[in-house]
Amino acid sequence: QVHLVESGGGLVQAGGSLRLSCAASGGTDRRYHMAWFRQAPGKEREFAAGITWLGGSTYYADSVKGRFTISTDNAKNTLFLQMNRLKPEDTAVYYCAASRSIMVHTTAGMYDYWGQGTQVTVSS
């Protein structure tokens, strides 16, 4: 069982930056691919960014490419999402997720473990 806890959300003005963290515990005897999803009010949960366990490959939704960076600190079992040049449409609850699959997926249903989410609000 993997336990994920996000932190780092908050209120920021458009054009600003935030760094989200996701601390993982349990289940560290195997490898998981990780991802950040987000869910805005009234919308479905959507993929934002994903990374392979060793960090060799990263994947981004077109809407965040060039502005967000996903990374890991495997020694500390922590996942990060650096978000720059934030826009009001980035406002959402951000979730980190872990997958036992052999590849990074963009579909929420392919992830086995989820954090509780952290709110990001970008004001215009």
Side-chain angles (χ1 to χ4, degrees):
Q1 185 74 16
V2 176
H3 185 56
L4 303 172
V5 179
E6 302 97 335
S7 62
L11 173 64
V12 64
Q13 288 189 333
S17 299
L18 281 175
R19 189 192 197 204
L20 304 183
S21 299
C22 173
S25 60
T28 54
D29 59 332
R30 60 174 300 161
R31 304 294 181 254
Y32 299 88
H33 298 317
M34 304 292 293
W36 288 96
F37 282 75
R38 63 186 186 180
Q39 188 166 18
K43 295 188 177 181
E44 292 187 354
R45 193 168 297 189
E46 66 174 9
F47 174 85
I51 189 167
T52 53
W53 173 252
L54 293 178
S57 297
T58 56
Y59 306 84
Y60 298 94
D62 288 343
S63 58
V64 308
K65 198 172 296 182
R67 300 186 298 121
F68 291 11
T69 303
I70 189 171
S71 62
T72 59
D73 182 341
N74 289 335
K76 297 181 179 179
N77 292 325
T78 305
L79 176 73
F80 301 101
L81 186 68
Q82 177 66 43
M83 305 186 294
N84 298 327
R85 291 184 284 134
L86 283 161
K87 305 175 181 181
E89 51 263 44
D90 294 318
T91 295
V93 177
Y94 283 71
Y95 299 89
C96 71
S99 173
R100 293 174 293 186
S101 175
I102 60 173
M103 59 183 289
V104 173
H105 292 277
T106 60
T107 305
M110 297 302 294
Y111 287 79
D112 304 288
Y113 303 101
W114 292 86
Q116 82 290 346
T118 185
Q119 176 70 46
V120 171
T121 303
V122 184
S123 63
S124 58

